[in-house]
Amino acid sequence: MPTPSPIRRETIALPEASLGTQRTWTALHYGTPGQGPKAYIHTGLHADELPGLLLCDHLGRLLDAAAARGEILGEIILVPFTNPIGLGQWVNGTHLGRFEMGGAGNFNRGYPVLGPEVAQHIGHQLTDDAAANVALIRATMKTILADLQPVKEMDHLRLTIMKHAIDADIALDLHCDTRALMHLYLGTPLWPDAKDLAADLGSHATLLAEDSGGSSLDEALGGPWWHLAKAFPDKPIPPACLATTVELRGESDVTDDLAAQDAAALVRFLQRRGVLAGDPGPLPALINDATDLTASDLLVAPVPGVLVYKVGLGDRVKKGDLVAEIVNPLTHERTPITATTDGFILVMRHTHNVRPGFQVAKVVGTEPLAHRQGYLLSD
């Protein structure tokens, strides 16, 4: 009879940000470190995005049961709410969890860029053994992170997350958009290896970039591998961390049915990757192939007013098609917003009072767009 796998709860106290106030970060550890593949899964980095928190309730129950049956083959770290700072940010009854209100910016930007510093340390130590190179790079990244001396509470939070995820084979950062279909952001070198994740989750879009700007968490974890592979092309350096941002549809998609569906999909994925025992069954068909992030355009409001959509999620549009209008009820003027590329509607706003520059929709196309260069994210 299989031996039940260990489960450990780890709680880390963040430093006081103000007198009399201290927050804690809690992770659930399944399995044995160093035994089999490692998966790091967290949610709520943008603390007002709640579908992932409910998913982790369902996933945690499934992992508890798997542990009791002795089915944890590797190591899993599950963090059901990774951002206690953002969870506590309320203003007049409104939760604001995307930006740190002390002025430190977006919670999913500004993570350490480790690739160049690692390259300075390891060049003469690399060999023709890919596994040895992976171990060397992970050890070096851990050393670099251990030497960092953060001061601000937010930087302590960033470092805590990085230390737990930096040696993971799989790192899933669970988010959601405003109104959206399920989709992934993924490092280009990770495709097509990550097709199983996209297929199991039923992702409608997988948006690829090596550097989308801002040093988001997934690129801070995955980016060093392809940076080093380019820096040392004569040495075998695989993309050893499947780091991705998973967008769990929209902010209002907080239901037990969806959370249970997504948790079951992640269990199947972890079974395919040898982290969990069990038969995941046949891989579902991929809904859409991956596309370059530069082929997806962000449509923005040119004027203030009331946003009225003329399309729905998943609708296909052609360049020039009407996507929405912005209404000025005083002048009766309607300002059209049209598609700039052929594709389908992946993301829409959930609020209809807009100002100039507000993102109205994301259209996923297949042809890279000349104006989509440099910083590719929407803050």
Side-chain angles (χ1 to χ4, degrees), residues 184-207:
L184 307 177
Y185 290 96
L186 192 72
T188 307
L190 297 171
W191 192 262
D193 180 62
K195 275 187 177 181
D196 53 345
L197 176 63
D200 271 321
L201 282 172
S203 177
H204 288 259
T206 301
L207 306 175

Side-chain angles (χ1 to χ4, degrees), residues 215-378:
S215 192
S216 58
L217 176 63
D218 66 322
E219 291 184 1
L221 295 172
W225 296 100
W226 42 88
H227 174 90
L228 293 167
K230 289 180 178 179
F232 304 101
D234 58 329
K235 300 298 181 184
I237 301 176
C241 179
L242 195 173
T244 181
T245 296
V246 179
E247 299 284 354
L248 298 167
R249 306 174 192 86
E251 292 178 358
S252 297
D253 292 315
V254 186
T255 70
D256 278 319
D257 287 345
L258 287 175
Q261 170 186 313
D262 296 339
L266 289 183
V267 166
R268 294 194 300 272
F269 168 68
L270 294 174
Q271 288 171 333
R272 296 186 203 284
R273 292 296 176 125
V275 185
L276 290 176
D279 179 10
L283 185 67
L286 194 65
I287 294 176
N288 287 309
D289 200 359
T291 55
D292 196 281
L293 184 54
T294 61
S296 296
D297 208 8
L298 306 179
L299 306 184
V300 299
V303 296
V306 180
L307 176 66
V308 180
Y309 282 107
K310 303 300 180 180
V311 297
L313 287 175
D315 285 357
R316 301 204 69 86
V317 295
K318 291 187 176 296
K319 184 177 180 179
D321 284 355
L322 183 65
V323 171
E325 293 177 330
I326 299 178
V327 179
N328 184 325
L330 176 64
T331 64
H332 311 304
E333 188 175 5
R334 290 182 172 237
T335 302
I337 298 176
T338 58
T340 53
T341 187
D342 297 352
F344 67 92
I345 305 296
L346 180 66
V347 177
M348 301 166 64
R349 289 188 67 82
H350 69 295
T351 56
H352 292 262
N353 181 10
V354 297
R355 301 175 66 182
F358 275 22
Q359 181 182 325
V360 170
K362 178 175 287 184
V363 180
V364 177
T366 57
E367 297 297 324
L369 302 169
H371 66 276
R372 288 283 281 155
Q373 302 295 326
Y375 195 88
L376 301 175
L377 302 175
S378 56

Side-chain angles (χ1 to χ4, degrees), residues 100-275:
E100 199 272 330
M101 292 176 62
N106 191 314
F107 282 111
N108 192 24
R109 305 288 184 268
Y111 284 81
V113 178
L114 299 177
E117 188 170 354
V118 173
Q120 295 177 7
H121 286 83
I122 66 167
H124 63 288
Q125 302 178 59
L126 293 169
T127 70
D128 294 327
D129 183 334
N133 290 341
V134 169
L136 170 65
I137 292 166
R138 285 177 172 162
T140 304
M141 290 193 292
K142 287 181 178 180
T143 298
I144 293 171
L145 292 176
D147 289 339
L148 295 179
Q149 299 294 323
V151 175
K152 295 180 180 179
E153 182 189 32
M154 184 169 168
D155 290 333
H156 277 274
L157 176 63
R158 286 192 182 107
L159 184 57
T160 297
I161 293 168
M162 288 285 288
K163 284 181 174 179
H164 284 75
I166 198 62
D167 61 345
D169 301 281
I170 298 163
L172 307 183
D173 183 13
L174 306 182
H175 286 256
C176 73
D177 215 303
T178 48
R179 292 168 59 196
L181 303 173
M182 173 79 77
H183 59 288
L184 307 177
Y185 290 96
L186 192 72
T188 307
L190 297 171
W191 192 262
D193 180 62
K195 275 187 177 181
D196 53 345
L197 176 63
D200 271 321
L201 282 172
S203 177
H204 288 259
T206 301
L207 306 175
L208 304 178
E210 287 195 19
D211 182 4
S212 58
S215 192
S216 58
L217 176 63
D218 66 322
E219 291 184 1
L221 295 172
W225 296 100
W226 42 88
H227 174 90
L228 293 167
K230 289 180 178 179
F232 304 101
D234 58 329
K235 300 298 181 184
I237 301 176
C241 179
L242 195 173
T244 181
T245 296
V246 179
E247 299 284 354
L248 298 167
R249 306 174 192 86
E251 292 178 358
S252 297
D253 292 315
V254 186
T255 70
D256 278 319
D257 287 345
L258 287 175
Q261 170 186 313
D262 296 339
L266 289 183
V267 166
R268 294 194 300 272
F269 168 68
L270 294 174
Q271 288 171 333
R272 296 186 203 284
R273 292 296 176 125
V275 185

Side-chain angles (χ1 to χ4, degrees), residues 48-80:
D48 49 2
E49 298 174 359
L50 298 182
L53 275 70
L54 186 59
L55 183 157
C56 282
D57 173 66
H58 286 262
L59 180 59
R61 294 171 188 268
L62 295 175
L63 294 180
D64 288 349
R69 296 190 298 266
E71 294 176 354
I72 310 292
L73 302 180
E75 177 189 3
I76 303 170
I77 299 178
L78 179 66
V79 188

